[in-house]
């Protein structure tokens, strides 16, 4: 398999929880069997300090995870960008599995390659296999669709984008599952996740 270049984009907000586990997220990227060419931290008003070998971009104001990732895809110069939460981790072969699935599906230019998610809590079904924002995307897809819709700033940007792709196949996008047998993304459940913090916004809207 050719060495496709991949950048991992990690939005980091000002919440202490995101910064607390950021070193683990970065370590999981550096442990990939198919190495990422770069890690881009989107400093979403987090006030991060300089880290050698890691690109950091500071947002002009608080954007939120979805908009921050949209900016991250705009900044990368590789074909692929993988979105990773600052409090989550990847299995070591996650990027390799995504690329293998992409090649197996004919290497489409516009692609959304999603992975199964394992939740860290004790819920009955800890493993989730449904398209979500645990995914690697091509820049071409973001250029064509605009990425996560700005209307979803209050939450569920992944569901909105996936729904658009399903409803409009003329966009020539491809939804690809990297591995349906096991999860590749580890989601840390805690009270300060971005999803938990946005429940109140969704209720008001």
């Amino acid at each position: 398999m050719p060495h496709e270049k991949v950048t991992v984009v990690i939005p980091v907000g000002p919440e202490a929880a995101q910064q607390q586990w950021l070193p683990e997220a970065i370590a999981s990227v550096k442990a990939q069997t198919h190495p990422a060419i770069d890690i881009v931290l989107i400093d979403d008003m987090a006030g991060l300090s300089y880290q050698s070998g890691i690109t950091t971009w500071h947002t002009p104001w608080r954007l939120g995870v979805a908009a921050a990732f949209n900016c991250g895809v705009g900044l990368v110069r590789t074909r692929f960008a993988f979105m990773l939460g600052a409090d989550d981790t990847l299995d070591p072969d996650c990027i390799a599995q995504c690329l293998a699935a992409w090649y197996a599906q004919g290497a489409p230019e516009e692609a959304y390659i999603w992975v199964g998610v394992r939740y860290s809590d004790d819920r009955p079904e800890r493993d989730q296999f449904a398209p979500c924002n645990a995914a690697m995307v091509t820049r071409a897809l973001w250029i064509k669709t605009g990425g996560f819709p700005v209307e979803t700033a209050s939450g569920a940007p992944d569901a909105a984008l996936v729904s658009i792709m399903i409803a409009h196949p003329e966009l020539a996008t491809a939804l690809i599952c990297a591995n349906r047998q096991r999860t590749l993304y580890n989601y840390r459940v805690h009270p300060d996740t971005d999803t938990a913090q946005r429940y109140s916004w969704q209720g008001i809207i």
Side-chain angles (χ1 to χ4, degrees):
M1 180 170 60
H3 190 84
E4 290 285 348
K5 295 179 179 179
V6 179
T7 301
V8 176
V9 177
I10 308 178
V12 187
E15 294 81 11
Q18 292 192 29
Q19 299 177 45
Q20 173 184 353
W21 289 300
L22 179 60
E24 292 184 32
I26 293 173
S28 76
V29 177
K30 292 183 175 181
Q32 291 297 299
T33 58
H34 184 109
I37 194 172
D38 194 12
I39 299 172
V40 175
L41 301 181
I42 305 299
D43 185 336
D44 197 14
M45 308 306 292
L48 299 176
S49 57
Y50 171 78
Q51 295 194 50
S52 177
I54 295 177
T55 302
T56 303
W57 184 77
H58 300 269
T59 63
W61 51 77
R62 186 71 195 277
L63 298 179
V65 171
F69 185 75
N70 282 347
C71 291
V73 176
L75 290 167
V76 306
R77 293 294 176 263
T78 54
R79 183 197 297 258
F80 297 99
F82 194 106
M83 58 185 102
L84 174 62
D87 45 2
D88 300 331
T89 61
L90 303 177
D91 278 6
D93 61 338
C94 183
I95 290 177
Q97 291 273 347
C98 286
L99 289 172
W102 178 72
Y103 277 110
Q105 292 296 317
E109 194 61 27
E110 294 95 14
Y112 191 100
I113 309 150
W114 54 276
V115 302
V117 173
R118 167 158 288 187
Y119 292 92
S120 65
D121 60 6
D122 57 356
R123 67 185 66 191
E125 296 183 3
R126 294 178 60 197
D127 293 346
Q128 171 187 296
F129 289 94
C132 66
N133 64 341
M136 188 168 76
V137 303
T138 59
R139 288 191 79 243
L141 172 64
W142 246 236
I143 291 170
K144 178 168 281 191
T145 64
F148 293 132
V150 295
E151 297 87 350
T152 61
S154 64
D158 48 355
L161 179 58
V162 168
S163 296
I164 290 170
M165 293 170 63
I166 293 173
H168 296 278
E170 71 274 10
L171 292 175
T173 55
L175 278 169
I176 301 169
C177 180
N179 189 322
R180 292 185 182 275
Q181 277 67 54
R182 68 179 178 86
T183 59
L184 299 168
Y185 187 107
N186 304 295
Y187 182 95
R188 191 186 307 272
V189 180
H190 57 84
D192 297 319
T193 62
D194 181 75
T195 301
Q197 292 298 309
R198 291 182 179 274
Y199 282 152
S200 59
W201 287 96
Q202 292 173 328
I204 294 171
I205 293 173

